[in-house]
Amino acid sequence: SPGTYQKNPAAGKKYKVTLAGPNKSVEQAKEVINNIIMYYHDPITHPDQVHEELDVAGWQLSFIIGSKGSELRHIQNNYKVRMYIPRETSVNKKVVIVGDQYGVERAKAYVDKLLWNAEDVGRGRGRQDQAEDVWGEEEEEEWMKDYMYRRNK
């Protein structure tokens, strides 16, 4: 019935919304709603707000979110932006940063650096960039013998 809503709707469930008014206004309202669903803001409802979308692989999300959300909070508080991480029910499957132009640019640069570091820091053994033994096997000199540990093979 009109005027009622469900507090915790089922995820993925669609609801019919009726817009009434002149055709031009209805089309404009549809556009605003779709922008808010896709980008979490619209120039009409949020003047001076811009957004930036980032393609982030699933394995990289933990670097943006951080331990218990600490990195995400740090980004949002430092740069005065809102960051939206995609979920299964999200229409937009990209990470979206929303805020004023300056904050969004700085937050995007920070996230890009985070992601670059995440890719650059390979983990564990078998990495391609492991340290090399540039000296190779050294020849054993007489004076070294007292200091060498011999393992039985």
Side-chain angles (χ1 to χ4, degrees):
S1 68
T4 63
Y5 66 95
Q6 194 174 355
K7 277 193 177 180
N8 297 315
K13 183 166 177 169
K14 293 188 175 197
Y15 293 91
K16 186 174 182 167
V17 175
T18 305
L19 301 173
N23 284 347
K24 184 180 175 196
S25 298
V26 167
E27 287 308 311
Q28 189 177 23
K30 278 186 196 173
E31 188 178 325
V32 169
I33 291 168
N34 286 330
N35 282 341
I36 290 172
I37 290 170
M38 191 69 175
Y39 307 114
Y40 308 96
H41 76 104
D42 183 85
I44 291 174
T45 58
H46 303 84
D48 304 326
Q49 298 276 292
V50 298
H51 72 274
E52 191 73 48
E53 295 176 277
L54 303 171
D55 270 322
V56 178
W59 67 270
Q60 295 174 312
L61 289 176
S62 62
F63 290 94
I64 295 174
I65 297 168
S67 174
K68 299 177 186 165
S70 60
E71 197 64 53
L72 185 62
R73 278 193 307 277
H74 168 75
I75 295 167
Q76 292 184 143
N77 294 336
N78 260 23
Y79 303 109
K80 308 289 186 263
V81 295
R82 298 289 305 153
M83 277 187 66
Y84 297 93
I85 307 294
R87 297 173 183 246
E88 303 86 43
T89 58
S90 301
V91 173
N92 193 339
K93 298 300 179 194
K94 297 180 180 181
V95 171
V96 180
I97 304 173
V98 179
D100 64 36
Q101 184 76 43
Y102 181 63
V104 169
E105 286 171 6
R106 290 174 55 229
K108 181 184 183 308
Y110 182 84
V111 170
D112 286 344
K113 183 179 168 206
L114 266 181
L115 297 178
W116 186 86
N117 286 341
E119 281 183 31
D120 195 46
V121 178
R123 297 217 184 281
R125 296 175 185 244
R127 291 192 328 215
Q128 302 301 322
D129 61 342
Q130 281 184 331
E132 290 181 39
D133 182 4
V134 293
W135 300 102
E137 287 297 318
E138 292 183 32
E139 44 205 67
E140 195 174 295
E141 295 178 28
E142 191 61 38
W143 66 269
M144 294 179 181
K145 289 184 178 175
D146 292 337
Y147 300 98
M148 299 296 282
Y149 174 78
R150 292 276 173 222
R151 213 179 310 175
N152 293 336
K153 290 187 178 182

